[in-house]
Amino acid sequence: MGKFEVKTRKNGEFQFNLKAGNGQVILSSEGYTTKANCLNGVESVKKNAQDDNKFDRKTSTNGKHYLNLKATNGQIIGTSEMYESASGMENGIESVKKNAPDATVEEIA
């Protein structure tokens, strides 16, 4: 089962990572100024992860593939790691869909 890890960055901002059951990070957030906003981001991922249309499939300038998960308002709420192939990215999307809805939330000190 997946989990969201919420932590404080060195600059004081809050960030979450969605991890798959094997501990691999499959989605990371931007920095949030408050923990409440970060937790709202977690809820937004849980809600939007089931809608394939919310996944923006991208290719970086170096040819690697990645995804952005967008909220209903179009704002990016999470970004994946870089994948070597489009099929790897699609597997990442499936992992987000599978893990996000029931993921627990854990605060990391």
Side-chain angles (χ1 to χ4, degrees):
M1 186 161 126
K3 69 178 175 180
F4 286 95
E5 289 184 348
V6 175
K7 64 181 181 178
T8 308
R9 292 177 170 178
K10 288 183 177 148
N11 66 1
E13 291 182 335
F14 296 88
Q15 174 186 358
F16 66 79
N17 289 318
L18 173 60
K19 291 188 170 184
N22 64 4
Q24 183 178 3
V25 174
I26 51 178
L27 199 69
S28 296
S29 75
E30 63 181 6
Y32 292 92
T33 54
T34 67
K35 188 190 295 183
N37 287 346
C38 186
L39 293 174
N40 285 341
V42 167
E43 289 307 311
S44 186
V45 170
K46 288 183 173 196
K47 183 175 80 176
N48 289 290
Q50 295 306 300
D51 184 349
D52 194 66
N53 294 321
K54 300 287 173 67
F55 288 94
D56 198 5
R57 293 153 172 90
K58 300 285 207 178
T59 305
S60 67
T61 54
N62 66 2
K64 294 189 186 255
H65 301 269
Y66 68 101
L67 64 98
N68 289 323
L69 177 61
K70 293 188 172 184
T72 305
N73 65 5
Q75 185 174 351
I76 296 171
I77 48 179
T79 301
S80 74
E81 65 179 354
M82 293 290 174
Y83 294 97
E84 294 295 327
S85 66
S87 63
M89 177 189 60
E90 292 299 329
N91 288 340
I93 290 171
E94 291 308 311
S95 186
V96 171
K97 288 178 179 178
K98 183 178 113 186
N99 286 284
D102 300 317
T104 58
V105 178
E106 185 177 309
E107 292 187 31
I108 306 297

